[in-house]
Amino acid sequence: LHAPCVRAAVARHAHELDAVSIAKVLRVLSATGAADADVLDALGHALCHVANDANANDAVTATAAATVPTAAAFTVSTAAATASSSSSSSLSALSPSDVVAVVTSFVKARHTCPPLFAAISHELVSTDKLALFSGEHIAAVALAYAHALPDEQPLFHAVAAQLARPDRRRSFSSEALTRTLGAFTSTERAAPALYEVLSHELAQPERLSSLSMPSLCSVAAHLATVGHASPPLLDAITQRACAVAAAAADARYAARAPAPARAR
């Protein structure tokens, strides 16, 4: 993959690949560090083309269903369903891990493709596909958009809506909550309701105990970035820091204490 001729071939044939295959190629390129601007541009534009074709087909199908007589509607709907189920060329065919692989591969290479990120955002928001994503997946997507397309309001609103649900919030690991919080605060996004909800969640004893001190410091820094004060959470972090410092001091004292005299 590092050979120029191989990268050139990938770029040249990108338009022949379906969405799932493009995601697989991006995953491999990202893992090997072989992605360059030309290859990413080609694959990104190919995925945009896939999205545009899918949207055009949806529009044609909807128009046909609205104009065809009732007796023939079954034929139209059956043909549309067959075409949809037999194709992996639309963005809807991407699994949550595929979506993460696509967006993070561009961010990792420090390359942007706003049309692609906008198309993926539209797919995730319009189909409510985020409901199928794990907390780790959502955190990864939110961080990728914070870096690549921080003004994509619909996606961030959809992520906030997921976190507003207690059942979804509980399904996130504490680290995933911290990373998602960081995605919002890194863009200095105004979301006081979300920050309050996450502050309350992360202040729970089981959450605090599962986070390292660097992670807790990151939480405090994230909230400070957007000027959101959460005394209960900050008090809990302070108490945890004091406990950790006391334990470290005890360990150092024990290490310096002389060994007990050996019995004669």
Side-chain angles (χ1 to χ4, degrees):
L1 285 174
H2 287 277
C5 61
V6 175
R7 295 201 303 272
V10 171
R12 187 168 59 251
H13 295 284
H15 66 282
E16 301 172 11
L17 301 175
D18 59 35
V20 174
S21 297
I22 291 174
K24 290 179 179 178
V25 171
L26 284 170
R27 196 191 303 268
V28 174
L29 290 172
S30 181
T32 58
D36 61 17
D38 291 338
V39 172
L40 290 173
D41 280 338
L43 293 171
H45 291 151
L47 264 180
C48 288
H49 184 70
V50 163
N52 291 335
D53 284 350
N55 291 336
N57 290 337
D58 290 344
V60 170
T61 301
T63 302
T67 57
V68 172
T70 304
F74 176 77
T75 302
V76 174
S77 62
T78 301
T82 301
S84 175
S85 63
S86 62
S87 174
S88 59
S89 62
S90 70
L91 293 182
S92 62
L94 296 178
S95 68
S97 61
D98 287 336
V99 172
V100 171
V102 170
V103 296
T104 56
S105 64
F106 279 83
V107 172
K108 183 178 178 180
R110 298 182 180 179
H111 191 73
T112 59
C113 185
L116 173 60
F117 276 71
I120 292 176
S121 172
H122 175 74
E123 171 68 25
L124 297 179
V125 174
S126 63
T127 62
D128 196 27
K129 196 170 183 176
L130 283 178
L132 304 176
F133 281 45
S134 69
E136 299 295 332
H137 289 142
I138 290 179
V141 169
L143 279 173
Y145 272 80
H147 285 93
L149 201 63
D151 294 329
E152 187 62 20
Q153 297 284 3
L155 178 83
F156 285 100
H157 287 326
V159 171
Q162 291 291 316
L163 288 168
R165 294 170 44 192
D167 58 325
R168 285 293 278 150
R169 204 160 54 244
R170 285 193 294 268
S171 71
F172 280 60
S173 69
S174 299
E175 288 291 350
L177 286 178
T178 302
R179 291 197 299 274
T180 307
L181 174 63
F184 275 79
T185 59
S186 65
T187 60
E188 298 186 6
R189 192 170 303 278
L194 174 65
Y195 299 146
E196 184 60 32
V197 164
L198 292 182
S199 297
H200 181 269
E201 180 72 27
L202 290 171
Q204 303 305 308
E206 63 275 12
R207 292 289 193 185
L208 286 171
S209 62
S210 66
L211 289 171
S212 65
M213 277 310 303
S215 294
L216 290 174
C217 291
S218 294
V219 170
H222 293 331
L223 295 175
T225 299
V226 292
H228 184 83
S230 177
L233 177 59
L234 293 178
D235 288 345
I237 292 175
T238 301
Q239 292 174 11
R240 172 78 183 281
C242 290
V244 169
D250 289 343
R252 288 194 299 270
Y253 178 80
R256 290 197 303 265
R262 185 174 300 174
R264 294 181 180 180

